[in-house]
Amino acid sequence: MDFLKEKLPEKIAHKLSEVESIKEILISEAISLHKKYTISIQESEHLQKIAAEVVIGDRIKDALGIEDCLRLRTGCAQIDDLTRGGFRFKMINEVYGEAGVGKTQLCLQLAVAVQMPPISGAAFYVCTDKSFPANRLLELSLSVPSAFGLSGDESLMDKVFVEHSMDFIALRRLLFVKLPKLLENVRISLVVIDSIAAIFRSEDIKYLERSKEIDDICRQLNHLARTHNLVVVCVNQVTDDPNSDTSGPSLGNAWANYVVCRFLIERDWTNGIRRFRVVNAPYLKPDACRFIITQSGLH
Ligand code: ATP
Ligand code: MG
């Protein structure tokens, strides 16, 4: 029990000499421990939590792949701290926010960051704007590696495979034909869709039709993310809800059902300070951090 003693406050630790076994701590109700060892219910629960962590914590974490899994760091220390190491693989991450808050800046930075060790992968970047900000990617290719202790190199641009897509049909072709083919030859580790809202923005699409299209795209994204170990980041825009006078991510539930991690970027227009907010992520508490954007990227 000594290794358990070290992790407990004195008041609980000295009761351990009376405890029969760790098994007893783990299988008893907190109230039984409270009565038997004259410690409070809260102390009993704390004792159980620490005992569980000591005995099975690491194995559970390994099995779930939660704590020890590799993340895609952004290179912005505040965002990486907040997200406990960056963006998760094998699932759809969403970054949403108003125009000009820095969504594209973050994605461009990720396209460089993904090439840094230990991931050392390439990026597939779907751009829905007419022109891709290649000059900005060049700037970031030269500056972002310093956050990883490396020097910048314009050749990092070669590992960002940019594709333009303006509508669902083009995106479908990219995700069902072009990307799978590319994945046979290139180790892509990041897929960015900037933005998913632009793909489905057309007023002409009927609600049901759009839901079906979103369903198709998301299933394929999830399939590719899982089978090829990809980080998928989809940029989304903000829509006002006339009923509640609030705003939220576009595309409604048909889309939201597929998003595992939802992040919001906000900007204080008076001083340029941005905020990266965890809105919803199963392994993170809702919280936010501040960052700025300079010529060398997000800091
Ligand atoms: P939209 O929804 O319109 O696509 P967005 O959220 O993608 O918007 P970004 O293009 O990522 O917005 O961010 C643009 C902002 O990033 C600029 O307004 C500027 O504040 C900042 N920015 C871009 N490049 C630089 C730079 N070289 N130095 C400093 N800030 C920059
Ligand atoms: Mg943008």
Side-chain angles (χ1 to χ4, degrees):
M1 296 272 189
D2 285 350
F3 56 96
L4 187 54
K5 229 176 216 170
E6 290 163 13
K7 296 180 186 282
L8 290 164
E10 179 56 30
K11 186 172 174 228
I12 315 178
H14 91 267
K15 294 278 179 183
L16 283 178
S17 53
E18 300 169 34
V19 175
E20 289 164 25
S21 64
I22 287 201
K23 187 174 169 190
E24 184 200 0
I25 299 173
L26 292 173
I27 64 172
S28 302
E29 297 280 343
I31 193 151
S32 315
L33 296 174
H34 152 68
K35 283 183 186 157
K36 191 166 172 189
Y37 299 112
T38 56
I39 51 178
S40 71
I41 300 268
Q42 285 87 347
E43 286 165 342
S44 307
E45 285 170 351
H46 185 61
L47 174 59
Q48 290 183 309
K49 181 170 168 273
I50 299 295
E53 271 175 21
V54 166
V55 177
I56 54 175
D58 288 345
R59 262 176 278 161
I60 285 182
K61 284 173 189 166
D62 285 350
L64 293 175
I66 286 175
E67 286 304 320
D68 301 323
C69 67
L70 193 58
R71 309 267 167 90
L72 169 55
R73 279 176 58 201
T74 63
C76 169
Q78 293 87 322
I79 297 178
D80 291 341
D81 282 351
L82 182 78
T83 52
R84 306 219 317 256
F87 283 74
R88 291 276 299 273
F89 285 74
K90 298 187 179 183
M91 59 181 65
I92 298 178
N93 297 274
E94 177 195 59
V95 175
Y96 76 99
E98 288 177 8
V101 291
K103 304 180 295 293
T104 297
Q105 301 300 309
L106 171 65
C107 294
L108 294 172
Q109 181 147 335
L110 285 173
V112 177
V114 74
Q115 300 181 53
M116 303 295 110
I119 296 170
S120 308
F124 185 80
Y125 201 113
V126 180
C127 174
T128 54
D129 284 338
K130 281 201 183 76
S131 66
F132 174 76
N135 287 340
R136 183 59 174 146
L137 180 63
L138 172 60
E139 243 172 16
L140 295 174
S141 298
L142 299 176
S143 58
V144 170
S146 69
F148 296 80
L150 295 167
S151 28
D153 189 335
E154 62 180 65
S155 70
L156 295 172
M157 290 186 74
D158 302 342
K159 290 271 190 67
V160 182
F161 295 84
V162 179
E163 293 287 345
H164 287 271
S165 166
M166 301 297 178
D167 55 30
F168 166 70
I169 295 170
L171 180 62
R172 206 187 143 84
R173 200 174 308 121
L174 286 180
L175 296 184
F176 281 85
V177 182
K178 202 150 187 177
L179 179 54
K181 213 163 225 150
L182 190 64
L183 282 163
E184 287 171 14
N185 301 308
V186 183
R187 204 166 64 74
I188 304 277
S189 299
L190 169 69
V191 172
V192 172
I193 301 183
D194 182 6
S195 76
I196 193 78
I199 299 282
F200 297 105
R201 161 167 64 191
S202 166
E203 301 285 313
D204 306 335
I205 313 175
K206 293 194 183 67
Y207 179 79
L208 275 180
E209 195 184 326
R210 193 178 79 169
S211 297
K212 164 83 177 66
E213 290 177 355
I214 290 175
D215 210 53
D216 278 2
I217 293 296
C218 291
R219 279 169 191 268
Q220 177 67 352
L221 277 174
N222 269 332
H223 166 70
L224 294 174
R226 290 196 189 116
T227 49
H228 295 275
N229 198 26
L230 307 173
V231 173
V232 175
V233 178
C234 296
V235 168
N236 198 0
Q237 281 147 6
V238 168
T239 307
D240 291 332
D241 179 354
N243 299 323
S244 63
D245 220 17
T246 56
S247 59
S250 304
L251 303 180
N253 282 339
W255 162 250
N257 287 338
Y258 284 98
V259 174
V260 178
C261 299
R262 173 161 266 179
F263 304 107
L264 167 66
I265 300 182
E266 296 160 305
R267 177 179 179 180
D268 184 336
W269 296 95
T270 58
N271 57 17
I273 291 179
R274 331 261 163 159
R275 208 172 272 275
F276 183 92
R277 186 177 294 282
V278 176
V279 176
N280 197 3
Y283 61 102
L284 298 172
K285 61 178 189 309
D287 203 352
C289 68
R290 284 148 48 119
F291 69 98
I292 53 167
I293 302 176
T294 67
Q295 188 170 354
S296 56
L298 279 64
H299 301 281

